[in-house]
């Protein structure tokens, strides 16, 4: 059996090729223990005078960290990390990557310290050297160097393996939901805002957090000659939907058009901002024509 099958490792990716490799399906693997493991396609370390490699990769064991913080999983480099390499770890649909920016070597080419960068979330790093492990859990990516512990003789140990506790930096989606008179607006840049056509509006994030401005029920509000009442206006994070039960209480004309519409807020925003209205992305709407006394339920999906 090949070593890749035995150890379940993921090949590291040269940083300048990272995006193209990931797009084409980067080689990643999972261990039965749930540890996402990675190592380069060639051995770590430098050749000493005897021609042997200082820090070879010879199999993948359990996570070096005692336990990863909630919401993260363990990714492991067996052997010393290599400068310039990007390692990608994957587990249960989640993934994160780290790039080794620099390494420090002692005589003989053994790696003792390193620094790294990441665009994802890394909350803990555990560096094994000799019989001991040194744990970094205070913004480890911002450290100038992460080093193996000193050995019992007081000398700097060489790195034998490194474990990272991390997760992908997935942006939380947040939405704007509008209950309005008239037809939907799909492009605010071209069509402008709803203005005085709104009965009610609120913002919320996909996990139900950052709920802002919601009036879930109203006995009657008039817009454009249409008096509308509603109950149960809200968002369900379990299936990413919004709905409301509406009744047209009175109308100055034969009928009124009512719309429930949902939009994705710009990246990084958790509530409505009139300055970025044109950047909202239309997701879904439902429009009905109501006569006086009519009641109905409106429901929309905020999935992309």
């Amino acid at each position: 059996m090949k070593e890749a099958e035995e150890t379940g490792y993921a090949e590291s990716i040269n940083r300048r090729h990272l995006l193209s490799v990931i797009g084409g399906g980067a080689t990643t693997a999972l261990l039965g223990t749930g540890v996402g493991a990675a190592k380069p396609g060639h051995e770590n370390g430098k050749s000493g005078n005897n021609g042997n490699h200082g820090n070879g990769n010879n199999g993948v064991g359990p996570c070096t960290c005692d336990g990863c913080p909630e919401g993260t999983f363990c990714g492991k480099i067996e052997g010393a990390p290599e400068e310039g390499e990007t390692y990608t770890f994957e587990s249960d649909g989640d993934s994160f990557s780290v790039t080794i920016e620099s390494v420090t070597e002692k005589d003989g080419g053994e790696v003792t310290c390193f620094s790294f960068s990441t665009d994802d979330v890394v909350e803990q790093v555990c560096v094994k050297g000799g019989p001991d492990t040194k744990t970094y859990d205070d913004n480890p990516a911002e450290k100038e160097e992460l080093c193996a512990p000193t050995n019992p003789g007081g000398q700097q140990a060489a790195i034998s393996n490194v474990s990272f506790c991390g997760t992908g930096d997935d942006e939380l989606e947040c939405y704007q939901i509008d209950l309005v008179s008239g037809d939907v607006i799909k492009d605010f840049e071209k069509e402008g805002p709803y203005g005085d056509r709104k009965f009610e509006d609120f913002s919320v994030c996909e996990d139900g957090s950052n709920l802002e401005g919601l009036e879930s029920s109203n006995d009657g509000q008039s817009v454009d000659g249409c008096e509308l009442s509603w109950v149960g206006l809200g968002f369900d994070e379990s299936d990413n939907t919004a709905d409301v039960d509406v009744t047209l209480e009175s109308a100055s004309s034969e009928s009124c058009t009512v719309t429930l519409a949902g939009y994705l807020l710009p990246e990084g925003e958790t509530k409505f901002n009139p300055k970025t209205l044109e950047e909202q992305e239309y997701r879904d709407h439902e429009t009905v024509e109501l006569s006086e006394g009519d009641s109905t339920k409106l429901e929309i999906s905020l999935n992309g």
Side-chain angles (χ1 to χ4, degrees), residues 104-166:
T104 300
E105 299 174 346
K106 62 180 182 179
D107 293 342
E110 293 178 314
V111 175
T112 58
C113 304
F114 70 97
S115 65
F116 76 98
S117 63
T118 181
D119 291 328
D120 297 310
V121 176
V122 175
E123 295 190 7
Q124 189 176 92
V125 179
C126 304
V127 185
K128 179 77 183 303
D132 298 319
T133 299
K134 190 167 185 179
T135 299
Y136 298 84
D137 54 13
D138 183 17
N139 297 319
E142 297 180 7
K143 301 290 185 185
E144 289 187 9
E145 279 193 322
L146 293 82
C147 299
T150 55
N151 59 33
Q155 297 178 329
Q156 180 68 63
I159 295 175
S160 57
N161 60 73
V162 182
S163 290
F164 300 83
C165 293

Coordinates of all heavy atoms in Angstrom, one line a residue, residues 104-166:
T104 N 13.0 28.7 11.1 CA 14.4 28.8 11.8 C 15.0 27.4 11.9 O 14.3 26.5 12.4 CB 14.2 29.5 13.1 OG1 13.6 30.8 12.9 CG2 15.6 29.7 13.8
E105 N 16.2 27.3 11.5 CA 16.9 26.0 11.6 C 18.1 26.1 12.5 O 18.8 27.1 12.6 CB 17.3 25.6 10.2 CG 16.2 25.4 9.2 CD 16.7 25.1 7.8 OE1 17.9 25.3 7.6 OE2 15.9 24.7 7.0
K106 N 18.4 25.0 13.1 CA 19.7 24.9 13.9 C 20.7 24.2 13.1 O 20.4 23.7 12.0 CB 19.4 24.3 15.3 CG 19.0 22.9 15.2 CD 18.8 22.4 16.7 CE 18.4 20.9 16.7 NZ 18.2 20.5 18.2
D107 N 21.9 24.1 13.6 CA 23.0 23.3 12.9 C 22.5 21.9 12.5 O 21.9 21.2 13.3 CB 24.2 23.2 13.7 CG 24.9 24.6 14.0 OD1 24.5 25.5 13.2 OD2 25.7 24.7 14.9
G108 N 22.7 21.6 11.3 CA 22.2 20.3 10.8 C 21.0 20.4 10.0 O 20.5 19.4 9.4
G109 N 20.4 21.6 10.0 CA 19.2 21.8 9.2 C 17.9 21.5 9.8 O 16.8 21.5 9.1
E110 N 17.9 21.1 11.1 CA 16.6 20.8 11.8 C 15.8 22.0 12.0 O 16.3 23.0 12.6 CB 16.9 20.0 13.1 CG 17.5 18.6 12.8 CD 17.8 18.0 14.2 OE1 18.3 18.6 15.1 OE2 17.4 16.8 14.3
V111 N 14.5 22.0 11.8 CA 13.6 23.2 11.9 C 13.2 23.2 13.4 O 12.7 22.3 14.0 CB 12.4 23.1 11.0 CG1 11.5 24.2 11.3 CG2 12.9 23.1 9.6
T112 N 13.4 24.4 14.0 CA 13.0 24.6 15.4 C 11.8 25.5 15.6 O 11.1 25.4 16.6 CB 14.2 25.1 16.2 OG1 14.6 26.3 15.7 CG2 15.4 24.1 16.2
C113 N 11.7 26.5 14.7 CA 10.6 27.5 14.8 C 10.1 27.8 13.4 O 10.7 27.6 12.4 CB 11.2 28.8 15.5 SG 11.9 28.6 17.1
F114 N 8.9 28.4 13.4 CA 8.3 28.9 12.1 C 7.3 30.0 12.4 O 6.9 30.2 13.5 CB 7.6 27.7 11.4 CG 6.4 27.2 12.1 CD1 5.1 27.6 11.7 CD2 6.4 26.4 13.2 CE1 4.0 27.2 12.3 CE2 5.3 25.9 13.8 CZ 4.0 26.4 13.4
S115 N 6.9 30.7 11.3 CA 5.8 31.6 11.4 C 4.9 31.2 10.2 O 5.3 30.6 9.2 CB 6.3 33.0 11.2 OG 6.9 33.3 9.9
F116 N 3.6 31.6 10.3 CA 2.6 31.3 9.3 C 1.6 32.4 9.1 O 1.4 33.2 10.0 CB 1.9 29.9 9.6 CG 0.9 30.0 10.7 CD1 -0.5 30.1 10.4 CD2 1.2 30.0 12.0 CE1 -1.4 30.2 11.3 CE2 0.3 30.1 13.0 CZ -1.1 30.2 12.7
S117 N 0.9 32.3 8.0 CA -0.2 33.2 7.8 C -1.4 32.4 7.3 O -1.2 31.3 6.8 CB 0.2 34.3 6.7 OG 0.4 33.6 5.4
T118 N -2.6 33.0 7.4 CA -3.8 32.3 7.0 C -4.9 33.3 6.7 O -4.9 34.4 7.3 CB -4.3 31.3 8.0 OG1 -5.5 30.6 7.6 CG2 -4.6 32.0 9.4
D119 N -5.8 33.0 5.7 CA -6.9 33.8 5.5 C -8.2 33.2 6.2 O -9.3 33.7 6.1 CB -7.2 33.9 4.0 CG -6.2 34.7 3.2 OD1 -5.7 35.7 3.8 OD2 -5.9 34.4 2.1
D120 N -7.9 32.1 6.9 CA -9.0 31.4 7.6 C -8.9 31.7 9.1 O -8.2 32.7 9.5 CB -9.0 29.9 7.3 CG -9.2 29.7 5.9 OD1 -10.2 30.2 5.3 OD2 -8.5 28.9 5.2
V121 N -9.5 30.9 10.0 CA -9.5 31.1 11.4 C -8.7 29.9 12.0 O -9.0 28.8 11.9 CB -10.9 31.1 12.0 CG1 -10.9 31.1 13.5 CG2 -11.8 32.2 11.4
V122 N -7.6 30.3 12.7 CA -6.8 29.3 13.4 C -6.7 29.8 14.9 O -6.1 30.8 15.1 CB -5.3 29.2 12.8 CG1 -4.5 28.3 13.7 CG2 -5.4 28.7 11.4
E123 N -7.3 29.0 15.8 CA -7.4 29.4 17.2 C -6.3 28.8 18.0 O -6.0 29.4 19.1 CB -8.7 29.1 17.7 CG -9.9 29.8 17.1 CD -11.2 29.6 17.8 OE1 -11.2 29.0 18.9 OE2 -12.2 30.1 17.2
Q124 N -5.7 27.7 17.6 CA -4.7 27.1 18.5 C -3.6 26.4 17.6 O -4.0 25.8 16.6 CB -5.3 26.1 19.4 CG -4.4 25.5 20.5 CD -5.2 24.6 21.4 OE1 -5.3 23.4 21.2 NE2 -5.8 25.2 22.5
V125 N -2.4 26.4 18.0 CA -1.3 25.7 17.3 C -0.5 25.0 18.4 O -0.1 25.5 19.4 CB -0.4 26.6 16.5 CG1 0.7 25.8 15.9 CG2 -1.2 27.4 15.5
C126 N -0.2 23.7 18.2 CA 0.5 22.8 19.1 C 1.8 22.3 18.4 O 1.6 21.6 17.4 CB -0.3 21.7 19.6 SG -1.9 22.3 20.4
V127 N 2.9 22.7 18.9 CA 4.2 22.3 18.3 C 4.9 21.3 19.1 O 5.2 21.5 20.3 CB 5.1 23.6 18.1 CG1 6.4 23.2 17.3 CG2 4.4 24.7 17.4
K128 N 5.1 20.1 18.5 CA 5.8 19.0 19.2 C 7.3 19.0 18.9 O 7.7 19.1 17.7 CB 5.2 17.7 18.8 CG 5.8 16.4 19.4 CD 5.3 16.3 20.8 CE 6.0 15.1 21.5 NZ 5.8 13.8 20.9
G129 N 8.1 18.8 19.9 CA 9.5 18.7 19.8 C 10.1 17.9 21.0 O 9.8 18.3 22.1
G130 N 10.8 16.8 20.7 CA 11.3 16.0 21.8 C 10.1 15.4 22.5 O 9.1 15.0 21.8
P131 N 10.1 15.2 23.8 CA 9.0 14.5 24.5 C 7.8 15.5 24.8 O 6.8 15.0 25.3 CB 9.6 14.0 25.8 CG 10.7 15.0 26.1 CD 11.3 15.5 24.7
D132 N 8.0 16.8 24.5 CA 7.0 17.8 25.0 C 6.4 18.5 23.8 O 6.8 18.4 22.7 CB 7.7 18.8 25.9 CG 8.2 18.2 27.2 OD1 7.6 17.3 27.7 OD2 9.4 18.5 27.6
T133 N 5.3 19.2 24.2 CA 4.5 20.0 23.2 C 4.3 21.4 23.7 O 4.0 21.6 24.9 CB 3.1 19.4 22.9 OG1 3.3 18.0 22.4 CG2 2.3 20.2 21.9
K134 N 4.5 22.4 22.9 CA 4.2 23.8 23.3 C 3.0 24.2 22.6 O 2.8 24.1 21.3 CB 5.4 24.7 22.9 CG 5.3 26.1 23.5 CD 6.6 26.8 23.4 CE 6.5 28.2 24.1 NZ 7.8 28.9 24.0
T135 N 2.0 24.8 23.3 CA 0.7 25.2 22.8 C 0.6 26.7 22.7 O 0.9 27.4 23.7 CB -0.4 24.7 23.7 OG1 -0.4 23.3 23.7 CG2 -1.8 25.1 23.1
Y136 N 0.2 27.2 21.5 CA 0.0 28.6 21.3 C -1.5 28.8 21.1 O -2.1 28.3 20.1 CB 0.8 29.1 20.1 CG 2.3 29.0 20.2 CD1 2.9 27.8 19.9 CD2 3.0 30.1 20.7 CE1 4.3 27.7 20.1 CE2 4.4 30.0 20.8 CZ 5.0 28.8 20.5 OH 6.4 28.7 20.6
D137 N -2.2 29.6 21.9 CA -3.7 29.8 21.7 C -4.1 31.2 21.9 O -5.3 31.5 22.0 CB -4.4 28.9 22.7 CG -4.0 29.1 24.2 OD1 -3.3 30.1 24.4 OD2 -4.4 28.3 25.0
D138 N -3.1 32.2 21.8 CA -3.4 33.6 21.8 C -3.0 34.2 20.5 O -1.9 34.7 20.3 CB -2.7 34.2 23.0 CG -3.0 35.7 23.1 OD1 -4.0 36.2 22.6 OD2 -2.3 36.4 23.8
N139 N -4.0 34.2 19.5 CA -3.7 34.8 18.2 C -2.4 34.2 17.6 O -1.5 34.9 17.3 CB -3.7 36.3 18.2 CG -5.0 36.9 18.6 OD1 -6.0 36.5 18.2 ND2 -4.9 38.0 19.5
P140 N -2.3 32.9 17.4 CA -1.1 32.3 17.0 C -0.6 32.8 15.7 O 0.7 32.8 15.5 CB -1.4 30.8 16.9 CG -2.9 30.7 16.9 CD -3.4 31.9 17.6
A141 N -1.5 33.2 14.7 CA -1.0 33.6 13.4 C -0.3 35.0 13.5 O 0.5 35.3 12.6 CB -2.2 33.7 12.5
E142 N -0.4 35.7 14.6 CA 0.2 37.0 14.8 C 1.6 36.9 15.5 O 2.3 37.9 15.6 CB -0.7 37.9 15.6 CG -2.0 38.2 14.8 CD -2.9 39.2 15.6 OE1 -2.5 39.7 16.7 OE2 -4.1 39.4 15.2
K143 N 2.0 35.7 15.9 CA 3.2 35.5 16.6 C 4.4 35.6 15.6 O 4.3 35.1 14.4 CB 3.3 34.1 17.2 CG 2.2 33.8 18.3 CD 2.4 34.7 19.5 CE 1.4 34.3 20.6 NZ 1.5 35.2 21.8
E144 N 5.5 36.2 16.0 CA 6.6 36.3 15.1 C 7.2 34.9 14.9 O 7.7 34.6 13.7 CB 7.7 37.2 15.8 CG 7.3 38.7 15.8 CD 8.5 39.6 16.2 OE1 9.6 39.0 16.4 OE2 8.3 40.8 16.4
E145 N 7.2 34.1 15.9 CA 7.7 32.7 15.7 C 7.0 31.8 16.7 O 6.6 32.2 17.8 CB 9.2 32.6 16.1 CG 10.1 33.0 15.0 CD 11.6 32.6 15.3 OE1 12.0 32.6 16.4 OE2 12.3 32.2 14.3
L146 N 6.7 30.6 16.2 CA 6.2 29.5 17.0 C 7.3 28.4 17.1 O 7.7 27.9 16.0 CB 4.9 29.0 16.5 CG 3.7 29.9 16.5 CD1 3.7 30.9 15.3 CD2 2.4 29.1 16.5
C147 N 7.7 28.1 18.3 CA 8.9 27.2 18.4 C 8.5 25.9 19.2 O 7.6 25.9 20.0 CB 10.0 27.9 19.1 SG 10.6 29.4 18.3
A148 N 9.3 24.9 18.9 CA 9.2 23.7 19.7 C 9.7 24.0 21.1 O 10.5 24.9 21.3 CB 10.0 22.5 19.1
P149 N 9.3 23.2 22.1 CA 9.8 23.4 23.5 C 11.3 23.0 23.6 O 11.8 22.3 22.7 CB 8.9 22.5 24.3 CG 8.4 21.5 23.4 CD 8.3 22.1 22.1
T150 N 11.9 23.5 24.6 CA 13.3 23.0 24.9 C 13.2 21.6 25.4 O 12.2 21.2 26.1 CB 14.0 23.9 25.9 OG1 13.2 24.0 27.1 CG2 14.2 25.3 25.4
N151 N 14.2 20.8 25.1 CA 14.2 19.4 25.6 C 14.7 19.3 27.0 O 15.2 20.3 27.6 CB 15.1 18.5 24.6 CG 16.5 19.0 24.5 OD1 17.1 19.5 25.5 ND2 17.1 18.8 23.4
P152 N 14.7 18.1 27.7 CA 15.1 18.0 29.1 C 16.5 18.5 29.4 O 16.8 18.9 30.5 CB 14.9 16.5 29.4 CG 13.8 16.1 28.4 CD 14.1 16.9 27.2
G153 N 17.3 18.5 28.3 CA 18.7 18.9 28.5 C 18.9 20.4 28.4 O 20.0 21.0 28.5
G154 N 17.7 21.1 28.1 CA 17.8 22.6 28.0 C 18.1 23.1 26.7 O 18.3 24.3 26.5
Q155 N 18.2 22.2 25.7 CA 18.5 22.6 24.3 C 17.2 22.8 23.5 O 16.2 22.1 23.8 CB 19.4 21.6 23.6 CG 20.8 21.5 24.3 CD 21.7 20.5 23.6 OE1 21.2 19.5 23.1 NE2 23.0 20.7 23.6
Q156 N 17.2 23.6 22.5 CA 16.1 23.8 21.6 C 15.8 22.5 20.8 O 16.6 22.0 20.1 CB 16.3 25.0 20.6 CG 15.1 25.2 19.7 CD 13.9 25.7 20.4 OE1 14.0 26.8 21.0 NE2 12.8 25.0 20.4
A157 N 14.6 22.0 21.0 CA 14.3 20.7 20.3 C 13.9 21.0 18.8 O 13.4 22.1 18.5 CB 13.1 20.0 21.0
A158 N 14.1 20.1 18.0 CA 13.6 20.2 16.6 C 12.1 19.8 16.5 O 11.6 19.1 17.3 CB 14.4 19.3 15.7
I159 N 11.4 20.5 15.6 CA 10.0 20.2 15.4 C 9.8 18.8 14.8 O 10.3 18.5 13.8 CB 9.3 21.3 14.5 CG1 9.4 22.6 15.2 CG2 7.9 20.9 14.2 CD1 8.9 23.8 14.4
S160 N 9.0 18.0 15.5 CA 8.6 16.7 14.9 C 7.3 16.7 14.2 O 7.1 15.9 13.3 CB 8.7 15.6 16.0 OG 7.8 15.9 17.1
N161 N 6.3 17.5 14.7 CA 5.0 17.6 14.0 C 4.3 18.9 14.6 O 4.7 19.4 15.7 CB 4.2 16.4 14.2 CG 3.9 16.0 15.6 OD1 3.1 16.7 16.3 ND2 4.5 14.9 16.1
V162 N 3.4 19.4 13.9 CA 2.6 20.5 14.2 C 1.1 20.3 14.0 O 0.7 19.8 12.9 CB 3.0 21.8 13.4 CG1 2.2 23.0 13.9 CG2 4.5 22.0 13.5
S163 N 0.3 20.7 15.0 CA -1.2 20.6 14.8 C -1.8 22.0 14.9 O -1.4 22.8 15.7 CB -1.8 19.7 15.8 OG -1.5 18.3 15.6
F164 N -2.8 22.2 14.0 CA -3.5 23.5 13.9 C -5.0 23.2 14.2 O -5.5 22.3 13.6 CB -3.4 24.1 12.5 CG -2.0 24.5 12.1 CD1 -1.2 23.5 11.5 CD2 -1.4 25.7 12.3 CE1 0.1 23.8 11.1 CE2 -0.1 26.0 11.8 CZ 0.6 25.0 11.3
C165 N -5.6 24.0 15.1 CA -7.0 23.9 15.3 C -7.6 25.1 14.6 O -7.4 26.3 15.0 CB -7.3 24.0 16.8 SG -6.8 22.6 17.7
G166 N -8.4 24.8 13.5 CA -8.9 25.9 12.7 C -10.2 25.6 12.0 O -10.8 24.5 12.2

